[in-house]
C-alpha cells in the first residue's frame, strides 16, 4: 500500500456501499477503469448543453435560480476538469463507486438517503482492487454560473486540506478499479424507507 496525497492505492481492500440506483447481486463485478462511467456521469452529461450556455452567456443567468441538477452539473464538471488537469491518478467522481470505510458510516449514509426520499435498496460489502480517494463531502459546493469560482472550489475539494474546528469533515471514499460485491449486508424494504421519512 502507498499513499500519494489524499489518494491511497492498495492491491485489495474492503469497504461498504449503499446501493441506491438498482439492487446489486452477490458476486457482481463493477469495473471503473477510466473508460466506464457511473450514473453521476449520465445525470451530469444530460445538463452539459445548459452548462455550456451558462458559461457562454453568464449575464443571462445571473439573476436566475438554477435547477438543482444544473447546479450539480456545474460542480461536477469543474471537479472533473481540475481532477484531470492536476490529479489524474485520483478516481473520477463520474467514474467511481462511493463507499464507506465502516458499516456504521454506511448506515448513516443510508439513513440520510432514505430521509431525502432517494430509493435505497441495500448495504453491500465490496472488495476493491484499485485505488481510493478520501474526500470530504463538506467541501462539495453548489456550482454557480461563475466558472472561475467553480474551479477554485474544485481545487479545494481535491486538495482536501484541514477544516476549521467548527466544520468537521464528512468522509467520502471514491473507489475505482475492479469492485466485487462480496456480501449483501442489509436490504431495505419499502416499509423501512417510508417509516424513516
Amino acid at each position: 500500500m502507498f499513499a500519494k496525497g489524499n489518494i491511497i492505492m492498495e492491491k485489495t481492500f474492503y469497504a461498504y456501499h449503499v446501493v441506491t440506483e438498482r439492487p446489486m447481486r452477490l458476486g457482481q463485478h463493477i469495473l471503473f477503469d477510466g473508460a466506464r462511467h457511473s450514473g453521476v456521469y449520465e445525470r451530469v452529461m444530460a445538463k452539459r448543453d445548459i452548462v455550456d450556455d451558462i458559461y457562454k452567456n453568464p449575464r443571462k443567468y445571473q439573476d436566475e435560480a438554477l435547477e438543482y441538477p444544473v447546479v450539480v452539473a456545474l460542480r461536477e464538471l469543474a471537479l472533473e476538469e481540475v481532477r484531470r488537469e492536476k490529479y489524474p491518478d485520483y478516481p473520477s467522481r463520474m467514474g467511481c463507486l462511493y463507499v464507506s470505510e465502516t458499516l456504521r458510516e454506511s448506515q448513516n449514509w443510508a439513513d440520510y438517503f432514505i430521509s431525502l426520499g432517494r430509493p435505497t435498496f441495500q448495504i453491500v460489502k465490496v472488495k476493491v482492487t484499485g485505488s481510493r480517494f478520501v474526500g470530504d463531502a463538506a467541501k462539495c459546493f453548489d456550482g454557480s454560473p461563475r466558472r472561475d469560482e467553480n474551479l477554485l472550489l474544485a481545487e479545494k475539494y481535491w486538495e482536501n486540506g484541514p477544516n476549521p474546528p467548527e466544520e468537521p469533515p464528512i468522509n467520502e471514499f471514491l473507489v475505482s478499479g475492479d469492485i466485487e460485491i462480496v456480501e449483501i449486508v442489509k436490504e431495505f424494504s419499502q416499509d423501512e424507507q417510508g417509516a424513516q421519512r
Side-chain angles (χ1 to χ4, degrees):
M1 171 177 84
F2 67 91
K4 179 182 174 187
N6 294 311
I7 189 170
I8 299 170
M9 298 177 132
E10 302 177 61
K11 278 197 165 195
T12 301
F13 56 93
Y14 293 86
Y16 297 90
H17 172 65
V18 180
V19 181
T20 59
E21 293 199 11
R22 60 188 163 279
M24 293 182 169
R25 66 185 187 288
L26 193 62
Q28 178 178 347
H29 282 261
I30 303 161
L31 183 62
F32 287 116
D33 59 0
R36 291 174 177 84
H37 305 290
S38 66
V40 174
Y41 176 86
E42 301 300 326
R43 291 187 293 275
V44 167
M45 288 302 132
K47 300 298 178 185
R48 184 66 195 244
D49 288 344
I50 192 166
V51 168
D52 290 343
D53 191 52
I54 288 168
Y55 286 154
K56 286 178 190 168
N57 305 294
R59 285 186 157 173
K60 177 178 163 185
Y61 296 92
Q62 68 185 11
D63 296 325
E64 186 177 321
L66 300 173
E67 294 178 340
Y68 183 69
V70 174
V71 169
V72 170
L74 287 160
R75 174 187 71 216
E76 295 301 331
L77 288 167
L79 284 162
E80 183 63 8
E81 183 176 339
V82 169
R83 184 198 70 81
R84 283 179 182 222
E85 183 180 311
K86 297 186 176 182
Y87 305 94
D89 293 336
Y90 290 12
S92 169
R93 289 173 54 90
M94 294 194 287
C96 74
L97 195 67
Y98 290 79
V99 301
S100 300
E101 197 167 35
T102 68
L103 181 56
R104 176 176 287 213
E105 287 174 353
S106 192
Q107 183 64 58
N108 290 342
W109 280 109
D111 292 343
Y112 175 68
F113 294 149
I114 290 168
S115 75
L116 294 176
R118 186 173 178 181
T120 305
F121 299 101
Q122 302 158 311
I123 295 176
V124 297
K125 186 174 184 179
V126 296
K127 175 182 169 184
V128 180
T129 304
S131 61
R132 69 180 169 193
F133 170 77
V134 182
D136 179 1
K139 289 183 175 72
C140 279
F141 56 94
D142 288 343
S144 79
R146 296 194 51 204
R147 185 173 183 271
D148 58 338
E149 180 180 305
N150 293 335
L151 293 173
L152 178 65
L153 292 170
E155 178 72 34
K156 289 181 180 181
Y157 172 84
W158 291 115
E159 285 175 353
N160 199 15
N163 292 18
E166 67 277 5
E167 292 179 24
I170 303 168
N171 287 338
E172 61 180 8
F173 296 81
L174 287 59
V175 298
S176 62
D178 181 29
I179 303 158
E180 180 185 2
I181 311 307
V182 295
E183 182 182 350
I184 308 292
V185 177
K186 183 172 185 176
E187 297 198 60
F188 296 97
S189 69
Q190 288 184 340
D191 293 338
E192 286 176 289
Q193 292 188 48
Q196 289 190 29
R197 281 190 210 138

Short mmCIF file of all heavy atoms in Angstrom, two decimals, residues 39 69 182:
data_model
loop_
_atom_site.label_atom_id
_atom_site.label_comp_id
_atom_site.label_asym_id
_atom_site.label_seq_id
_atom_site.Cartn_x
_atom_site.Cartn_y
_atom_site.Cartn_z
N GLY A 39 -23.66 6.54 -12.83
CA GLY A 39 -24.91 7.28 -13.00
C GLY A 39 -24.71 8.77 -12.85
O GLY A 39 -25.44 9.57 -13.45
N PRO A 69 -30.29 20.01 -10.51
CA PRO A 69 -29.43 19.19 -11.39
C PRO A 69 -28.41 20.01 -12.18
O PRO A 69 -27.32 19.53 -12.48
CB PRO A 69 -30.43 18.49 -12.32
CG PRO A 69 -31.71 18.47 -11.55
CD PRO A 69 -31.72 19.76 -10.77
N VAL A 182 -19.14 -8.77 -2.27
CA VAL A 182 -18.80 -10.00 -1.56
C VAL A 182 -19.81 -10.36 -0.47
O VAL A 182 -19.80 -11.48 0.04
CB VAL A 182 -17.37 -9.94 -0.95
CG1 VAL A 182 -16.33 -9.85 -2.07
CG2 VAL A 182 -17.22 -8.79 0.03
#
